[in-house]
Amino acid sequence: MGLSAPSIASRKVCDGGEPLVMVTAYDAPGARIASDAGADLILVGDSVAMVVLGYDDTLQVTVGDMLHHTAAVARAKPDCHIVGDLPWMSYHVSPEETVRNAARLMRAGAHSVKLEGGRKRLPMIEKIIDAEIPVMGHIGLTPQSIHTMGGFRVQGTQPEHARKLVQAAKSLEHAGCFSVVLEGVPVRVAEMVTEAITIPTIGIGAGMHTDGQVLVYHDLLGIEDRFVPKFVRRYADLKGQSVEAMKAFADDVRSGAFPNHEESYHMATSDAEELEGLYSSQG
Ligand code: KIV
């Protein structure tokens, strides 16, 4: 299972803690890779909408989709804390529906849930925590608010907005969140938020002063190459390597070089001879 929510909650870099490593993953092979690489947390993010399911934003994924992917990650039994992302409209309608959706993600194998938004989400966050489900907050650039933000834009660039982000982080901590994702905010704002709260901040596009970092699986491995945001560092070019590998397969099929003798199944010589005999006696 990896780290528990309470042990994550006390991992602050300012107290000498090692920065937390979180990656997204959406299926069993991805979870095994994250686990073998020593990631502390796997986020089964609603980014699955864009990097796996081909949608243009994250608003299209449903609780059903998230359950499907969370269960696939959990079946791999990674040595990581699994965070299930609550999709848009799964925590907006009523506290009952919110708690039920969070519980479904837990039953699918998550160890905690994440949801986007600051103060206006507090009543729902409190209800989920009341049901003994740990909650990770997410503020700054919150992709589920793409239409109200007017696009994927860096947040907190104005002093008053930055002050509100610090307040939002404090209120998430006060409500009982065990950590907060800070997405798409200036370095100094992320630093101020990180200093203002005692639970860890996990940054994405938030600079180097947070208590951990998260990247999307397909971005860090170079599987998604259509758009690479400024904050992404690509540690591999799996898209390029995969295309080259498949071209080599296609060439081998077309030239007859695949499969060869060793890659094929064979009968024992005596059985092959008997078979030949059957055909020749019929013929
Ligand atoms: O869904 C996701 O991948 C996320 C991360 C970007 C934090 O929410």
Side-chain angles (χ1 to χ4, degrees):
M1 162 176 168
L3 298 172
S4 66
S7 62
I8 294 167
S10 59
R11 273 276 283 271
K12 289 292 282 185
V13 169
C14 63
D15 295 333
E18 204 180 9
L20 289 161
V21 178
M22 182 159 87
V23 291
T24 68
Y26 316 98
D27 56 20
R32 279 192 285 269
I33 289 171
S35 182
D36 290 356
D40 297 310
L41 301 98
I42 290 177
L43 169 64
V44 188
D46 63 356
S47 50
V48 69
M50 299 169 75
V51 295
V52 175
L53 301 177
Y55 294 118
D56 289 334
D57 58 48
T58 60
L59 304 183
Q60 308 302 326
V61 286
T62 62
V63 174
D65 294 326
M66 296 310 299
L67 291 174
H68 181 75
H69 289 280
T70 303
V73 164
R75 269 182 227 120
K77 297 190 174 46
D79 190 18
C80 308
H81 180 101
I82 302 173
V83 185
D85 214 1
L86 282 164
W88 181 61
M89 286 310 283
S90 68
Y91 55 97
H92 303 71
V93 178
S94 71
E96 292 73 21
E97 208 175 301
T98 299
V99 174
R100 211 166 283 128
N101 287 329
R104 291 177 77 195
L105 283 181
M106 298 297 281
R107 286 197 171 134
H111 305 126
S112 62
V113 299
K114 176 172 85 57
L115 58 82
E116 297 182 6
R119 296 174 82 96
K120 64 182 165 192
R121 302 289 165 228
L122 293 179
M124 301 300 188
I125 291 174
E126 281 161 6
K127 288 287 177 199
I128 301 173
I129 294 174
D130 266 0
E132 315 298 346
I133 298 173
V135 177
M136 176 182 279
H138 182 164
I139 54 174
L141 193 172
T142 46
Q144 291 174 14
S145 320
I146 178 176
H147 294 296
T148 46
M149 288 183 315
F152 292 104
R153 294 172 191 284
V154 176
Q155 300 293 300
T157 51
Q158 302 303 312
E160 184 48 23
H161 290 158
R163 195 186 65 81
K164 283 193 174 140
L165 279 177
V166 176
Q167 289 308 317
K170 284 185 176 171
S171 56
L172 292 177
E173 173 181 24
H174 189 249
C177 288
F178 73 98
S179 55
V180 181
V181 168
L182 275 182
E183 178 166 355
V185 298
V187 175
R188 181 64 188 127
V189 175
E191 187 178 22
M192 288 174 80
V193 170
T194 302
E195 284 169 0
I197 57 178
T198 65
I199 54 172
T201 54
I202 302 181
I204 176 162
M208 61 299 281
H209 298 304
T210 53
D211 298 300
Q213 297 289 332
V214 53
L215 278 181
V216 167
Y217 187 93
H218 292 63
D219 290 338
L220 96 86
L221 294 180
I223 299 170
E224 176 56 74
D225 66 350
R226 291 167 301 174
F227 170 66
V228 184
K230 171 188 170 80
F231 59 81
V232 168
R233 187 178 296 175
R234 287 175 62 175
Y235 287 88
D237 174 23
L238 292 197
K239 163 82 188 296
Q241 283 178 267
S242 304
V243 170
E244 287 312 311
M246 286 200 191
K247 274 188 186 162
F249 169 64
D251 288 348
D252 283 353
V253 170
R254 289 178 184 131
S255 70
F258 177 85
N260 63 21
H261 186 82
E262 285 72 34
E263 289 155 345
S264 308
Y265 296 107
H266 304 281
M267 298 175 85
T269 313
S270 56
D271 291 334
E273 283 169 3
E274 189 181 329
L275 182 64
E276 298 298 338
L278 281 176
Y279 275 97
S280 54
S281 64
Q282 281 170 5

